[in-house]
Amino acid sequence: MSISKYRSTLTKFQSSIALFLLCLALSLLSDKFLTVDNGWNVLRQISVNICISVGMTLVVLTAGIDLSVGSMLALSGAIAAGLLKFGIELPDNDLYIGFTILGTIVTGILTGSALGFFNGWVITKFKVPPFVATLAMLTIARGLTMLWTKGYPISSLGNEFGYIGTGWFLGIPVLVWIAAIIIAASIILTNKTSLGRYIYAIGGNENASRLSGININKVKIIVYTIAGALAAVGGIMVTSRLDSAQPNAGMSYELDSIAAVVIGGTSLSGGRGTIMGTVLGAIIIGVLNNGLVLLDVSPFWQQVVKGFVILLAVIIDKVNSKAE
Amino acid sequence: MKLITAVLLVLVLAACSSSDKTRQPNKIAIVVSTLNNPWFVFLAETAAKKAKELGYESKIFDSQNNTALESDHFENAIAAGYDAILFNPTDAAGSVASVTKAKKAGVAVFCMDREINSKDAAASQILSDSYSACIELGKLFVKSLNQKGNYVELLGIVSDNNTWNRSKGFHSVVDNYPGLKMVAQQSADFDRNKAMEVMESILQAHPDIDGVFCGNDAMAMGAYQALVAAGKADKVKVYGFDGAEDAINSIKEGKLTATAMQFPKVIAELAATYADEFFKGKTDFPKKLPIPVEVVTTENIDKFIAYGKKD
């Protein structure tokens, strides 16, 4: 095997290697880290970030970005919780519409999809840079969440709804099932479908893709809609887990998910990256969050450490891609 | 094109403001540190409601925990001709300059809940004393744990001075008992979800704990849920702070052990009343008026509702 081949193998598995080293270090530092219980803990905790980050990965692969995921998560979760708890009352018409759990979930996800669609529409129709369009959505959706909740949490949603966030199915937490299904579906999407090929193509070279006949606007709108829908799924998961829709839910989740995408080796300039990379990135962040608390590292230092890990990941990625 | 838009914008603004020229009734600005937390939403809304009852127009400004934005709000409020500001400061030191500016412009400022580091800039400061309240909570904490055991502290946002006021008040009591050992002190940003995650991790490292002290009720709820999931909710005493609806209900159901009730309703209504009196010519207000915080437990829960006492 030549050196360059070594190198490319190393690059391919750099996230896995980083995760392995991190886990090894934490197991040596704390005997509480490598336990089954703690494993489920970490997986449950990262499941929401994985959902969001999968959507973010698709967006970033098209050389875009979505800063509004946290706000879309909050609004979708709050709408689901509000409909479940209060339904819709129209006293003027003496009308009350109640919602089943499935009904609220579907409405929540439709909300997120609609917001994501709006992002995609603004970006493609008016050529607004994704950074700006989704930055605007970040505040719009947060404001709508405040309007809908009036600034107060919507709590006590019942045990049945809580099953999503706290239940187990076949020995695995429901949250982890959801994340796993989303990972599987998105891997199929990116690797086996023409839409997946178009996403990579657009991020690689938008002009060439246009000339080769890809409907770029359509692909982008679909991608942002998926990101919105997945943020909504995350919103349902968080709301169910807490038995409460918090008006400030999902604050700065966009940063965690961008971090997962970047640590996972996806290039912010588009066209290069994988879903599995992002999943590993999310696991690395989750393990780091968990490990720093297990070791009782001061909250001040935690922020510094996390920042350096992101930086390190990107630097390694840069050095490797230059070597290629 | 840009020029036309700009000109149009200026004209629209001019049209809006000129119609205001003839105003007579006094207007009240309500500037709060954040609307991202139900407690402050309640404070601001109660103040606005009271102002309306007293016959004044009012507007709520959200400083988003940012003293720079807060300063902008003050400048805008002064320029827009507001006559009094009901003010929940973002930072004790960083907010003084804004209040002084208002005073110079003849706008009376009434501080709500939080203090500013100035004796005479504000017309009056109606304060909720987090520090003393946490001393009381600390005493109860010591008692309920029989002076010994392992406990966890969940801090709020570490750059927020309320976080440290509460923590220091609590520790000023609890640290005197060598039998009480703090096994973990972590931040959960006043956030329910973060508190649940942090607590889940802490429970892995320290499965045998007896108490959790949280800097607000949202974190207490999150910590409690983590304890439920771990099957330890019965054994661990969970303390919150604020008197939010979820926490009051949970204490009623015997889930949380205690919280500290601040009285945002009392504070906000008093501030609005002071503004009313100020417009009618009164100038000598108490410079500092502490509103006592009360500890809420299962024993006295019947007296309380969310954010206040039963009437």
Side-chain angles (χ1 to χ4, degrees):
Chain A
M1 222 196 261
S2 67
I3 288 180
S4 71
K5 204 152 185 197
Y6 261 129
R7 188 149 207 156
S8 73
T9 324
L10 205 63
T11 311
K12 206 170 172 187
F13 294 107
Q14 70 187 29
S15 309
S16 322
I17 295 166
L19 179 61
F20 175 75
L21 290 177
L22 187 62
C23 290
L24 188 71
L26 285 170
S27 328
L28 293 175
L29 289 169
S30 164
D31 57 345
K32 311 290 183 192
F33 176 74
L34 211 59
T35 65
V36 175
D37 249 10
N38 197 41
W40 287 130
N41 233 350
V42 173
L43 288 178
R44 266 199 315 262
Q45 292 178 2
I46 62 170
S47 55
V48 173
N49 191 19
I50 283 187
C51 285
I52 301 172
S53 301
V54 163
M56 185 70 83
T57 309
L58 300 179
V59 169
V60 171
L61 282 174
T62 67
I65 193 95
D66 190 343
L67 301 178
S68 62
V69 284
S71 301
M72 295 195 292
L73 171 145
L75 182 60
S76 313
I79 286 193
L83 293 179
L84 183 63
K85 184 140 191 188
F86 306 116
I88 298 176
E89 266 183 272
L90 298 169
D92 294 344
N93 306 330
D94 201 18
L95 192 69
Y96 171 80
I97 306 168
F99 278 78
T100 61
I101 289 176
L102 188 63
T104 58
I105 292 171
V106 170
T107 319
I109 294 174
L110 284 177
T111 306
S113 314
L115 297 172
F117 179 86
F118 185 82
N119 275 339
W121 181 69
V122 170
I123 288 164
T124 53
K125 173 88 182 178
F126 302 103
K127 305 290 170 226
V128 178
F131 190 95
V132 181
T134 58
L135 184 66
M137 179 56 81
L138 179 149
T139 64
I140 294 171
R142 181 64 63 187
L144 291 173
T145 311
M146 290 297 172
L147 285 171
W148 174 259
T149 62
K150 302 186 179 71
Y152 297 95
I154 302 171
S155 303
S156 304
L157 305 168
N159 287 338
E160 282 167 42
F161 185 70
Y163 179 71
I164 304 165
T166 53
W168 294 67
F169 181 70
L170 300 179
I172 293 173
V174 177
L175 287 176
V176 177
W177 276 112
I178 298 175
I181 291 167
I182 285 170
I183 294 168
S186 57
I187 288 176
I188 294 170
L189 172 79
T190 47
N191 293 343
K192 305 281 179 199
T193 67
S194 48
L195 178 63
R197 283 196 301 279
Y198 296 161
I199 290 173
Y200 279 99
I202 291 174
N205 188 332
E206 189 163 330
N207 275 330
S209 318
R210 183 174 293 122
L211 292 173
S212 68
I214 298 173
N215 186 341
I216 291 181
N217 289 356
K218 190 173 152 193
V219 173
K220 282 192 180 173
I221 289 179
I222 292 175
V223 164
Y224 282 93
T225 308
I226 294 175
L230 290 179
V233 172
I236 308 277
M237 290 159 79
V238 172
T239 306
S240 164
R241 187 163 139 85
L242 294 177
D243 190 26
S244 171
Q246 302 277 310
N248 63 347
M251 280 272 185
S252 74
Y253 276 25
E254 62 280 357
L255 299 181
D256 270 354
S257 90
I258 293 171
V261 170
V262 168
I263 292 175
T266 296
S267 157
L268 281 178
S269 45
R272 193 168 59 86
T274 59
I275 298 290
M276 263 338 270
T278 298
V279 171
L280 284 169
I283 297 177
I284 288 175
I285 294 174
V287 166
L288 203 59
N289 278 335
N290 173 258
L292 291 173
V293 172
L294 282 187
L295 299 175
D296 203 21
V297 175
S298 117
F300 300 129
W301 276 109
Q302 291 188 16
Q303 302 180 6
V304 178
V305 172
K306 275 184 237 167
F308 270 112
V309 169
I310 295 171
L311 212 52
L312 194 68
V314 181
I315 291 171
I316 292 172
D317 196 46
K318 277 274 179 232
V319 171
N320 280 329
S321 58
K322 229 178 227 166
E324 277 172 24
Chain B
M1 184 62 199
K2 266 183 192 155
L3 188 69
I4 298 170
T5 323
V7 170
L8 276 177
L9 207 66
V10 170
L11 285 177
V12 170
L13 285 174
C16 291
S17 57
S18 62
S19 62
D20 251 8
K21 278 273 157 61
T22 51
R23 61 140 196 102
Q24 274 307 319
N26 290 309
K27 291 195 297 179
I28 299 175
I30 300 162
V31 181
V32 287
S33 58
T34 177
L35 288 177
N36 241 317
N37 176 329
W39 196 91
F40 295 102
V41 174
F42 184 84
L43 184 79
E45 284 178 351
T46 312
K49 207 169 123 197
K50 186 71 182 175
K52 199 180 170 195
E53 269 174 38
L54 293 166
Y56 301 106
E57 187 190 324
S58 70
K59 186 172 179 332
I60 298 172
F61 298 84
D62 175 6
S63 310
Q64 300 176 10
N65 277 329
N66 178 343
T67 42
L69 184 58
E70 183 181 85
S71 159
D72 293 349
H73 286 332
F74 265 73
E75 281 169 5
N76 293 337
I78 295 167
Y82 284 90
D83 309 279
I85 298 176
L86 309 185
F87 179 41
N88 170 243
T90 297
D91 182 73
S95 302
V96 176
S98 294
V99 178
T100 311
K101 210 183 299 167
K103 194 190 178 192
K104 276 192 189 137
V107 179
V109 178
F110 300 91
C111 290
M112 303 185 288
D113 171 44
R114 295 176 179 176
E115 197 169 351
I116 56 164
N117 293 343
S118 163
K119 285 203 181 78
D120 50 5
S124 179
Q125 303 197 45
I126 305 159
L127 306 171
S128 178
D129 189 350
S130 294
Y131 184 85
S132 321
C134 286
I135 292 180
E136 294 307 314
L137 276 181
K139 286 179 188 162
L140 186 68
F141 190 83
V142 170
K143 211 172 116 193
S144 68
L145 264 60
N146 291 326
Q147 303 189 9
K148 63 177 196 319
N150 295 330
Y151 71 92
V152 169
E153 181 182 9
L154 293 187
L155 298 164
I157 296 169
V158 289
S159 57
D160 185 326
N161 50 12
N162 262 322
T163 297
W164 299 109
N165 277 340
R166 293 173 189 185
S167 180
K168 280 176 191 156
F170 175 76
H171 283 288
S172 73
V173 176
V174 178
D175 290 1
N176 298 326
Y177 295 85
L180 286 167
K181 189 164 164 266
M182 182 166 74
V183 292
Q185 182 186 42
Q186 288 292 333
S187 165
D189 296 343
F190 289 133
D191 179 86
R192 185 159 166 164
N193 188 41
K194 184 109 192 274
M196 185 174 181
E197 290 185 2
V198 169
M199 197 65 213
E200 283 173 338
S201 298
I202 290 175
L203 283 172
Q204 296 299 321
H206 309 285
D208 291 316
I209 60 166
D210 308 286
V212 186
F213 179 74
C214 305
N216 80 343
D217 283 342
M219 293 194 292
M221 296 301 297
Y224 179 78
Q225 274 167 312
L227 288 164
V228 171
K232 296 187 167 133
D234 300 339
K235 285 184 285 181
V236 183
K237 309 254 190 277
V238 182
Y239 282 64
F241 195 101
D242 273 350
E245 187 176 359
D246 284 347
I248 294 297
N249 290 339
S250 295
I251 292 176
K252 216 174 272 171
E253 292 160 16
K255 294 173 174 171
L256 297 195
T257 306
T259 187
M261 175 62 78
Q262 312 187 76
F263 293 96
K265 187 161 183 264
V266 175
I267 295 170
E269 289 185 346
L270 192 58
T273 310
Y274 275 5
D276 178 46
E277 289 172 1
F278 168 74
F279 297 147
K280 289 173 180 157
K282 185 172 169 182
T283 50
D284 56 327
F285 295 101
K287 281 293 166 194
K288 271 191 191 177
L289 183 65
I291 303 292
V293 179
E294 289 182 35
V295 172
V296 183
T297 64
T298 39
E299 283 169 17
N300 64 3
I301 185 73
D302 291 337
K303 284 196 280 178
F304 293 93
I305 52 170
Y307 299 124
K309 267 189 176 159
K310 282 181 188 160
D311 292 326

